[in-house]
Amino acid sequence: MTQPAQTSPTPQLPAMTLADLQAQMQHWQQPAFRAKQLLDWCNKGVLDPCEMANIPAPLRQLLQENLCCQPLKLVHRQCSSDGTRKYLFALQRDRVAGKMVESVFIPEEKRGTVCISSQVGCVLDCPFCHTGTQGFEANLTAGEIVAQVLMIKHDLRQEPLADELHSDVTHIVYMGMGEPMANEAAVQQSIEILMDEQRLHLSRRRITVSSSGLVPQITRLGAAQPVNLAISLHSADDAKRDILVPINKKYPLAELRRCLDAYPIGKQRHITLEYVMLDGVNDQADDLATLVRFVQPERERVNLIQFNPYPGSPYSGSSKQHMKRFAQQLISQGIRATVRRSRGDDIMAACGQLKADATIPNQG
Ligand code: SAH
Ligand code: SF4
């Protein structure tokens, strides 16, 4: 019996390697050096063939007709007083066209971090997370994940930040919308592209995947591409974590423990355990004691996150003072602990606040 023909989706330019483009040039009977020229534009974030100055018109037309050069469209950008920029992008692909994702650029003096999304909404439903309230709508492709970084690079070149802030992308964190490990293949492919020396050539030390704890996928990530790992722990007690991070019911703490112990981290590197501090929920003395028992201080550090409220959120955050005390108590037990500085508060760009609505925020 004959199988129905597979219709292959249109290749997305941001996901293409030099070898892919060389094969494409050969297929179109174009000189091989065009592949490198195209890649240079792409790496700079110039994805519109009309803006590729050294590409002749007939090749531009071939690109436009046969490839998806711009898998995302910038819909809106908000700039915070601290330099943080939040971007709203619309997908362009059939069936998901118009769905939105958000990405955030967080500048510091010597580094620029892009926080990228891996899904529209999220497959999981942690009750303190705004993205989780949106439900799952779509997985992004590798091209759409990489395009977030490229378009932000482009925007930063067009409009750099104030001199004291870094205006280029040096670090990537998969901490935007979605659970990266629930979109495993596309996320792994996007990591390969970000690390490819012909593409963005980022070292794995500069890439961090944050996961709520999908054990088999994290194990496979460690085997394929052991980038930095952050785990949304939020409680070291199974009964509490079942509520705060419901995937815990499937992969409880003992399994997560074994997975973290086996994750390959290089010397000088640590797994980050993220811990959002919720007033009266996971910030008490017994929570601290359970956390201390869970952490492996040689390989792990704890990052305390201030709860970022969103309209209608059912929790309130611990006070800053209480968070500092909690951190000091961890440190006194030999555990590296930091309190994460919240950025972009005035534009709701902080962790867990991303939730792209179809409605475009007011310009201003
Ligand atoms: N799905 C992944 C990555 C995206 S969320 C994960 O859960 O790890 C990135 C981080 O923001 C996670 O640690 C998440 O638990 C945290 N977060 C979610 N909602 C938050 C909120 N309202 N305030 C502070 N942190 C939040
Ligand atoms: Fe999804 Fe992470 Fe939010 Fe949980 S915290 S709902 S896994 S995005």
Side-chain angles (χ1 to χ4, degrees):
M1 217 174 93
T2 47
Q3 296 286 325
Q6 293 273 322
T7 48
S8 69
T10 313
Q12 295 180 327
L13 180 61
M16 292 176 87
T17 62
L18 184 59
D20 295 334
L21 281 168
Q22 280 165 339
Q24 190 67 72
M25 292 307 113
Q26 201 175 19
H27 180 68
W28 288 339
Q29 297 175 341
Q30 296 287 319
F33 69 85
R34 294 284 180 218
K36 183 73 174 67
Q37 287 180 328
L38 282 170
L39 214 61
D40 288 344
W41 286 115
C42 182
N43 289 341
K44 279 195 263 183
V46 176
L47 299 175
D48 180 355
C50 300
E51 290 177 36
M52 299 178 181
N54 58 2
I55 302 298
L59 178 53
R60 288 186 196 178
Q61 198 174 341
L62 282 170
L63 290 165
Q64 262 155 344
E65 285 171 3
N66 298 285
L67 298 184
C68 171
C69 296
Q70 298 169 279
L72 298 178
K73 182 169 173 248
L74 177 62
V75 176
H76 188 67
R77 185 191 76 170
Q78 279 175 289
C79 300
S80 160
S81 53
D82 67 12
T84 302
R85 289 183 183 176
K86 182 164 88 168
Y87 299 83
L88 182 65
F89 295 111
L91 306 193
Q92 303 295 297
R93 243 180 319 140
D94 276 356
R95 291 206 291 277
V96 294
K99 290 191 187 293
M100 312 264 195
V101 285
E102 291 183 315
S103 324
V104 182
F105 179 72
I106 307 145
E108 291 169 84
E109 199 186 328
K110 294 205 172 93
R111 60 155 80 183
T113 304
V114 177
C115 175
I116 49 180
S117 294
S118 54
Q119 299 183 315
V120 183
C122 186
V123 273
L124 305 177
D125 51 357
C126 309
F128 55 87
C129 171
H130 207 196
T131 306
T133 65
Q134 185 176 340
F136 171 72
E137 294 193 50
N139 274 326
L140 300 195
T141 62
E144 288 153 357
I145 296 172
V146 175
Q148 296 169 57
V149 180
L150 298 177
M151 292 179 74
I152 291 177
K153 273 173 90 72
H154 188 46
D155 177 62
L156 290 166
R157 243 202 347 277
Q158 303 280 90
E159 266 185 70
L161 293 155
D163 282 347
E164 68 274 14
L165 294 171
H166 203 86
S167 273
D168 199 5
V169 178
T170 61
H171 291 72
I172 310 281
V173 295
Y174 287 75
M175 291 188 187
M177 296 167 62
E179 167 50 52
M181 292 292 88
N183 184 13
E184 191 182 1
V187 165
Q188 284 210 11
Q189 194 193 342
S190 69
I191 292 171
E192 271 158 33
I193 297 164
L194 295 170
M195 289 177 58
D196 182 341
E197 59 180 27
Q198 308 284 350
R199 297 297 316 271
L200 298 191
H201 201 192
L202 289 170
S203 96
R204 60 169 61 99
R205 291 165 168 270
R206 291 175 172 232
I207 300 174
T208 302
V209 167
S210 175
S211 173
S212 54
L214 277 72
V215 164
Q217 290 86 333
I218 295 168
T219 304
R220 288 195 288 266
L221 178 71
Q225 244 4 310
V227 291
N228 293 323
L229 182 65
I231 293 293
S232 295
L233 186 67
H234 307 321
S235 173
D237 171 76
D238 271 317
K240 272 190 195 176
R241 195 164 188 266
D242 280 352
I243 296 169
L244 293 176
V245 188
I247 194 69
N248 192 69
K249 288 185 217 143
K250 191 161 180 196
Y251 303 114
L253 288 161
E255 267 191 59
L256 183 62
R257 178 73 276 153
R258 284 194 290 276
C259 166
L260 298 187
D261 287 347
Y263 192 85
I265 51 167
K267 284 194 187 116
Q268 315 281 327
R269 287 166 76 203
H270 288 93
I271 294 171
T272 302
L273 302 177
E274 297 163 284
Y275 198 98
V276 61
M277 297 226 22
L278 304 171
D279 185 29
V281 175
N282 63 354
D283 66 349
Q284 303 295 301
D286 57 329
D287 300 305
L288 182 84
T290 342
L291 180 58
V292 169
R293 280 198 297 279
F294 183 80
V295 180
Q296 292 290 327
E298 298 295 312
R299 287 170 48 91
E300 294 163 4
R301 62 178 175 205
V302 176
N303 194 201
L304 300 177
I305 312 176
Q306 196 184 354
F307 173 64
N308 294 304
Y310 54 87
S313 54
Y315 295 100
S316 51
S318 319
S319 72
K320 284 209 173 97
Q321 266 175 329
H322 186 68
M323 287 180 72
K324 270 193 197 151
R325 266 202 310 276
F326 203 87
Q328 273 154 8
Q329 282 162 321
L330 288 169
I331 292 166
S332 71
Q333 304 263 2
I335 293 170
R336 264 170 268 240
T338 43
V339 176
R340 185 181 296 174
R341 196 156 58 105
S342 190
R343 300 289 302 272
D345 284 348
D346 51 343
I347 55 170
M348 289 232 340
C351 264
Q353 286 179 317
L354 304 184
K355 179 180 185 286
D357 292 316
T359 48
I360 301 164
N362 291 333
Q363 307 282 330

